[in-house]
Amino acid sequence: MPADQRANSRRGGAAWVALPFAAALVTFLARLAGANATTAGFAYLLLVLGLATWGGWAVGAAASVVAMVCFNFFFLPPFGTLTIQDPANWAALVTFLIASTVASRLVATARQRAEEAQSRQREVEILYDLCFSLFAASQRPGVLGEAAARTLRAIGAESGGLYLAGEEAPVSTFGPESLPIDPDLLQRTLETQEIAESRGAAFLPLHVGGKTNGVLVAQGPVAPRAVLESAGRLLALAIERERLLGEAAHLEAVRESDTLKTSLLRAVSHDLRTPLTAMRLEIESLQSRLAGQPEAIASLAGLSLEQGRLSRRIDNLLSLARLEGGVARPHPEPVPPNSLFHAARESLSLILANRTVEIRVEPHCPDVWADPSLALETLVNLLENAARAAPPARPLELAANPDPESPASDRRVRLEVLDRGPGLPPGVKRMLQGTRDLRRTADDAAGDSAAGGLGLRIARGLADANGGVLTLLDRPGGGTIARLILPAAPEPPDPEEGAE
Amino acid sequence: MTRATPLVLVVDDDPSIRQTLSRELAAAGYDTIEAADGVDGKTRFEESRPDLVITDLAMPRADGLAVITAVRRIDRTPVIVLSVRGEEEDKVRALDRGADDYITKPFSLRELLARVRTQIRRAEAGPVAEVLRFPGLEIDRARRTVVRDGQDVRLTPTELAILELLASHAGRPVTLRQIIAKVWKGAPATTVDTVRVHVGSLRRKLEPDAANPRYIGTEPWVGYRFLAEPET
């Protein structure tokens, strides 16, 4: 039972006890002073009002009856009897009874309203203090225990504990004794989102925005139910705020780490490519100066080939680092397969110098929808692998055609690199059967060619980033088909309509 | 141009690239001066007013973008940017800020010298002619006609505007943003996809073989480049 109700009932009891004594005192004083009927009537009225104010309406009503009896017995003739001779005195007696009853009722109602207002004010004060201590006093994360203790103090609980949804042990406990908690009741409170009571302990559901964060168990809280509900909501908000603060801090950390990764990769990229550029420029410069010396030119050609290879490996590693670091954001655009094929062939002009590369693009093959640099890098890797695998006399083929297996609603394009080499190495074949773990691919393929494995791993990472699928197949008649399936670019609408 | 030999300013923080470029440019018949960073580059530009600037993008103290801004405040001098892969956004920003061309490291000397020649020629050529002539293609800007291999090509006004813009920048990249700004006057609803649709349709009408474009090449990430050399 809340404290103000207990105080009310104590006060009511005292008023009942005081009633006969007060009535006797008024009668005695009025008789002593020789008061007439009118004066005595007013004195009794005062008695009724006083007792109604003190003890409430019921005491007031009883006081009215007692006062009426005393008034009649002592002050209305014939004195000393409860009979009335003069009919006018009947009117006086009834008027007195009505006046005293109504007045006591009014006084009691006014007192009750005042008490309610005081109680509301106390509730508001409790909640305001709680609100302030939960939200204004702390800006640091990880203060849930403190928030729960503040809430328990505010609702006048002797002890308690905070239980978060999904966690068995309490996040924090408050007060001298540990609580015997009924886990079923805890679960029911979480589900029903309603306050439950058991052996003097209140279970407050902490819900915000339709979801329950946890339960606050309060042993012997004195605050009224409305305050308990509000306190529960406030604590739920505080928990939600802590969670959001935690998330915000995490996001901030992720963003900073992304920024750091991006700038680190940029710096590494710049620092690695600058010396490569210097090397390439020096090689070309030497080539023009040593034009008449075939042996030197042959050495320079070898150097140039290696420089190109190193350059591509660095490109590959940086692209992979970007993709795996999550800082590469592909920018897809429509890319004609033909221009991709030509660019790939040109990128490997030294390696492919004495080889035939056939390019076949099926008529009406749509453009692919891909990041051009990533798509080109993928194709270059596949073409380089093919060039390494296949004997120089056999031509390499680049083919593009609409993917016959894709539905009309999701058109796709097949870009294929075909060779007449020995076919897929066993390690690559093994990992192609199901697993998509690129690291394993590289390791398995390492026995055959570390560079080839890395190239493949990168090609697959790049294909994934482009929204594509890379598969390696045995080619009928010997050799390998590396098939890159990419989304087709959307069909452009007719620009004649609404062009100008 | 008042000089007999064009003067090229090379701005790069890497001394070996700077020296090799200077030596090779000199061998190709250009005078050169060097600067080791953006601040130095701006000073050298103001002192010597070169005919062409080649600048790296990432440099200590004032980067390549700052050099471009400083050059553009004074003159229309051609600027070629040296970029690396992974700096695509910086490259586009450089072009939008007034750079005329870019080349990606590691680049070939031959390629760079070709770009330098294109830029110097453009600077010497003066205002764009009324009739633009390319092998197999003639664009009459006054009469608004396009003739390819002796046949009239019927273009919409938007396609013609794009073609004129690209052809008058022959050999140089034009960014999607520049196209939107010039052709659509920066109309807010215009997206890069709108540009691509119109360029696609222009290509279908103009190119004899759309798969192997002779006139309008795509510059990944950037925009387009008119590939044909103008006829003099």
Side-chain angles (χ1 to χ4, degrees):
Chain A
M1 188 194 291
D4 46 357
Q5 282 180 26
R6 280 200 291 269
N8 273 354
S9 68
R10 269 200 305 274
R11 212 164 43 197
W16 282 111
V17 173
L19 170 59
F21 296 104
L25 184 66
V26 169
T27 308
F28 173 72
L29 289 175
R31 294 279 294 184
L32 193 70
N36 61 13
T38 312
T39 312
F42 277 115
Y44 282 118
L45 198 55
L46 278 177
L47 169 78
V48 171
L49 291 180
L51 285 170
T53 309
W54 188 15
W57 177 77
V59 179
S64 299
V65 174
V66 171
M68 184 199 72
V69 170
C70 292
F71 184 44
N72 183 3
F73 192 84
F74 293 107
F75 295 98
L76 293 181
F79 302 116
T81 66
L82 287 176
T83 50
I84 293 169
Q85 279 179 340
D86 187 350
N89 284 342
W90 272 111
L93 193 65
V94 171
T95 308
F96 171 80
L97 184 63
I98 293 171
S100 65
T101 312
V102 170
S104 76
R105 173 91 207 184
L106 286 176
V107 164
T109 309
R111 196 184 64 90
Q112 196 188 347
R113 292 278 146 79
E115 277 173 357
E116 276 172 11
Q118 273 178 357
S119 143
R120 290 270 173 276
Q121 188 187 342
R122 271 198 306 279
E123 289 172 11
V124 168
E125 278 170 4
I126 290 172
L127 292 176
Y128 174 78
D129 286 346
L130 183 60
C131 202
F132 186 80
S133 64
L134 289 185
F135 294 102
S138 156
Q139 286 296 329
R140 56 204 165 84
V143 290
L144 286 187
E146 224 172 278
R150 280 205 175 96
T151 310
L152 288 167
R153 263 199 301 276
I155 60 176
E158 295 148 14
S159 58
L162 172 64
Y163 294 78
L164 291 186
E167 291 180 31
E168 293 218 342
V171 179
S172 80
T173 51
F174 169 75
E177 51 190 301
S178 61
L179 293 167
I181 294 299
D182 175 1
D184 291 339
L185 193 57
L186 204 63
Q187 192 57 37
R188 206 166 60 233
T189 312
L190 272 174
E191 281 161 12
T192 59
Q193 304 193 349
E194 276 176 16
I195 294 183
E197 285 184 45
S198 157
R199 286 177 292 177
F203 289 61
L204 310 185
L206 308 175
H207 57 95
V208 63
K211 94 179 169 194
T212 310
N213 290 332
V215 175
L216 182 72
V217 180
Q219 188 67 45
V222 293
R225 194 182 170 94
V227 175
L228 294 183
E229 280 173 1
S230 302
R233 275 196 293 274
L234 281 177
L235 183 59
L237 277 175
I239 293 171
E240 187 68 2
R241 189 188 73 137
E242 293 305 320
R243 194 180 62 75
L244 291 176
L245 276 179
E247 271 181 18
H250 176 69
L251 280 179
E252 180 67 17
V254 167
R255 203 169 55 229
E256 275 177 12
S257 140
D258 270 1
T259 312
L260 192 69
K261 272 191 263 183
T262 307
S263 50
L264 187 69
L265 279 169
R266 266 187 181 199
V268 170
S269 164
H270 192 261
D271 288 357
L272 288 175
R273 285 189 178 105
T274 299
L276 279 173
T277 309
M279 273 168 70
R280 178 160 183 182
L281 293 177
E282 287 294 357
I283 292 169
E284 282 187 53
S285 168
L286 280 173
Q287 277 170 334
S288 62
R289 276 186 280 158
L290 300 172
Q293 304 175 36
E295 278 181 18
I297 290 294
S299 301
L300 282 175
L303 206 56
S304 187
L305 205 68
E306 291 310 314
Q307 184 273 339
R309 204 203 303 271
L310 182 61
S311 189
R312 278 193 300 281
R313 284 291 89 78
I314 286 174
D315 278 352
N316 284 172
L317 286 171
L318 288 172
S319 297
L320 198 64
R322 268 199 210 95
L323 289 173
E324 291 194 343
V327 293
R329 284 169 203 86
H331 286 53
E333 55 181 74
V335 190
N338 210 321
S339 62
L340 269 179
F341 287 163
H342 280 100
R345 198 167 61 179
E346 213 158 286
S347 299
L348 297 170
S349 55
L350 289 176
I351 290 181
L352 302 173
N354 298 315
R355 303 188 71 135
T356 314
V357 180
E358 291 168 7
I359 293 180
R360 292 196 309 268
V361 177
E362 197 170 288
H364 310 299
C365 178
D367 290 353
V368 296
W369 181 251
D371 182 305
S373 333
L374 292 179
L376 176 62
E377 202 172 336
T378 314
L379 274 181
V380 167
N381 274 319
L382 298 176
L383 188 56
E384 193 182 0
N385 276 0
R388 200 178 10 241
R394 309 297 298 269
L396 302 169
E397 292 156 58
L398 294 168
N401 44 61
D403 181 23
E405 285 165 21
S406 63
S409 57
D410 176 29
R411 293 189 317 148
R412 293 180 161 253
V413 178
R414 274 183 186 178
L415 304 180
E416 292 178 332
V417 181
L418 306 101
D419 68 54
R420 286 292 180 196
L424 292 173
V428 173
K429 243 184 210 166
R430 253 202 321 280
M431 68 69 191
L432 280 177
Q433 281 156 6
T435 176
R436 290 173 63 78
D437 186 340
L438 298 174
R439 285 169 214 279
R440 282 262 302 287
T441 310
D443 295 344
D444 286 1
D448 302 299
S449 155
L454 181 65
L456 202 56
R457 177 181 162 192
I458 287 161
R460 194 167 254 191
L462 298 174
D464 281 352
N466 262 318
V469 180
L470 174 67
T471 46
L472 297 182
L473 311 163
D474 275 322
R475 189 178 179 188
T480 307
I481 304 173
R483 178 180 292 164
L484 178 63
I485 299 180
L486 290 173
E491 196 70 34
D494 192 352
E496 309 275 339
E497 294 167 22
E500 289 293 84
Chain B
M1 192 186 308
T2 52
R3 297 184 187 91
T5 314
L7 178 65
V8 179
L9 168 62
V10 179
V11 191
D12 197 311
D13 56 332
D14 187 81
S16 61
I17 288 191
R18 223 163 48 222
Q19 283 157 18
T20 316
L21 280 183
S22 291
R23 196 178 62 224
E24 294 304 319
L25 285 165
Y30 301 98
D31 285 337
T32 59
I33 44 174
E34 295 174 21
D37 58 49
V39 175
D40 198 11
K42 284 193 271 190
T43 319
R44 285 302 175 89
F45 178 80
E46 282 159 19
E47 281 169 9
S48 315
R49 302 297 297 276
D51 302 295
L52 178 91
V53 179
I54 298 175
T55 179
D56 193 12
L57 270 183
M59 286 183 291
R61 308 206 296 158
D63 61 6
L65 292 177
V67 175
I68 298 166
T69 310
V71 171
R72 281 290 161 270
R73 245 199 312 267
I74 297 174
D75 209 348
R76 280 292 316 154
T77 312
V79 178
I80 298 176
V81 164
L82 307 180
S83 75
V84 297
R85 279 200 46 210
E87 281 181 355
E88 276 81 4
E89 279 153 19
D90 289 343
K91 187 163 77 186
V92 174
R93 208 170 298 143
L95 289 171
D96 282 335
R97 213 179 263 203
D100 296 272
D101 206 347
Y102 67 89
I103 191 161
T104 307
K105 287 180 183 178
F107 50 85
S108 96
L109 208 50
R110 220 176 38 234
E111 205 182 341
L112 178 71
L113 289 175
R115 302 281 171 95
V116 169
R117 272 195 302 277
T118 305
Q119 291 303 331
I120 298 269
R121 198 170 50 222
R122 197 256 321 159
E124 285 173 342
V128 180
E130 279 296 292
V131 181
L132 302 169
R133 289 194 177 85
F134 302 91
L137 182 71
E138 194 175 287
I139 305 163
D140 190 325
R141 284 144 56 90
R143 291 171 49 216
R144 306 184 65 73
T145 56
V146 176
V147 178
R148 197 206 75 209
D149 298 332
Q151 302 265 311
D152 272 346
V153 183
R154 297 181 61 81
L155 299 179
T156 66
T158 308
E159 288 159 5
L160 183 63
I162 295 173
L163 180 62
E164 277 184 36
L165 177 65
L166 295 177
S168 60
H169 290 75
R172 285 180 286 153
V174 181
T175 66
L176 292 164
R177 192 195 301 230
Q178 285 166 344
I179 296 176
I180 291 172
K182 295 262 171 57
V183 175
W184 278 270
K185 314 288 179 220
T190 319
T191 65
V192 292
D193 289 330
T194 319
V195 179
R196 289 198 182 109
V197 166
H198 285 272
V199 171
S201 145
L202 173 59
R203 269 179 173 151
R204 280 196 293 278
K205 293 178 182 176
L206 196 68
E207 298 284 359
D209 175 9
N212 288 305
R214 192 203 289 178
Y215 301 109
I216 301 170
T218 303
E219 292 283 302
W221 283 76
V222 174
Y224 300 96
R225 186 193 295 265
F226 200 81
L227 302 169
E229 296 260 337
E231 286 178 342
T232 46

